[in-house]
Amino acid sequence: HSFSKSLGFDGLFAIQLGFHFRHKLRIESSFSFPLQLLLFHLSEERKKLDRKILKEAKAKEMREVELDRRKREMTQMKKKNIMETNKKMTEEKKRREREEEEAEAKEFASQCRREKEALLAEEEAQRLKKAETQKECSNVLKKQIEELKRQQAMYDMTSVERSINKDVSF
């Protein structure tokens, strides 16, 4: 089928042509020997030409089959390469996404640590401030108590004792 297409004419025509020459040979057998010999040689030349054409057509068909096979093979290789490239790109994208997620998680953990440290430092500052305030209040209370004791001691003294102790501070 592809042989006849590659030659550019219908294969049935070639078969009919061969039949026509064979039939003509039978009819022409009544001709003289030189004419028969000429017809025979023409027939042989035609057969050689037909064999040559057939051989060339088969070679061409084999080249086309090989070319088609190579094209299919190249197409398969290209598909395979594309699939491998897509797979590598997908893996690379996943790797970058994982790295970004890890970086975000590290940054979040670092931010949480900083916030915790800031909160603890603030609480410590408040505790120290409260302790300082309590110490100040305690000192004020001690002074008030001492003042109360001194005033009570002065109150408990008689006027004579007060005049004697007026230069002494309590």
Side-chain angles (χ1 to χ4, degrees):
H1 184 256
S2 61
F3 165 69
S4 62
K5 284 185 179 179
S6 66
L7 292 177
F9 59 85
D10 188 25
L12 185 59
F13 174 75
I15 293 170
Q16 288 173 344
L17 189 62
F19 175 76
H20 173 70
F21 280 112
R22 284 193 306 273
H23 181 65
K24 198 169 187 182
L25 268 177
R26 275 190 238 123
I27 292 173
E28 293 169 353
S29 61
S30 61
F31 296 133
S32 68
F33 180 73
L35 186 57
Q36 285 181 355
L37 189 59
L38 178 64
L39 290 174
F40 176 76
H41 283 296
L42 286 175
S43 172
E44 286 299 312
E45 287 299 315
R46 179 65 190 177
K47 286 179 186 176
K48 284 180 185 178
L49 182 62
D50 287 346
R51 282 193 291 269
K52 182 179 177 184
I53 290 171
L54 182 61
K55 184 179 177 182
E56 289 174 1
K58 284 184 179 181
K60 182 179 179 184
E61 185 177 358
M62 293 301 289
R63 286 191 304 271
E64 288 176 355
V65 166
E66 180 63 19
L67 184 62
D68 286 345
R69 184 192 66 76
R70 286 182 185 164
K71 283 181 182 178
R72 283 192 307 273
E73 188 176 293
M74 289 299 291
T75 302
Q76 289 296 329
M77 287 176 58
K78 285 180 182 178
K79 285 181 184 178
K80 183 180 177 184
N81 288 340
I82 289 170
M83 289 174 61
E84 288 175 359
T85 302
N86 287 345
K87 183 179 178 182
K88 288 177 183 177
M89 288 172 57
T90 302
E91 289 173 355
E92 179 64 21
K93 181 179 177 184
K94 286 181 181 179
R95 184 191 61 77
R96 281 194 316 271
E97 287 174 353
R98 263 193 322 272
E99 287 176 355
E100 288 174 5
E101 288 174 0
E102 289 173 1
E104 287 175 3
K106 286 180 181 178
E107 179 59 32
F108 181 73
S110 178
Q111 181 182 355
C112 287
R113 229 181 349 270
R114 287 190 303 269
E115 289 175 1
K116 178 184 170 187
E117 290 170 357
L119 183 62
L120 289 174
E122 185 180 327
E123 287 177 354
E124 181 64 18
Q126 287 176 352
R127 187 187 67 74
L128 289 175
K129 185 177 178 183
K130 185 177 179 181
E132 185 65 31
T133 305
Q134 286 177 344
K135 188 176 183 180
E136 287 176 12
C137 288
S138 177
N139 288 339
V140 169
L141 283 175
K142 284 181 184 177
K143 287 180 182 178
Q144 287 176 350
I145 291 171
E146 287 176 12
E147 182 62 30
L148 280 175
K149 284 182 182 179
R150 188 184 67 72
Q151 286 178 2
Q152 185 66 35
M154 288 190 75
Y155 180 72
D156 290 340
M157 284 187 212
T158 63
S159 55
V160 176
E161 289 175 324
R162 270 189 220 136
S163 65
I164 296 173
N165 291 325
K166 72 176 172 182
D167 293 330
V168 179
S169 119
F170 288 95

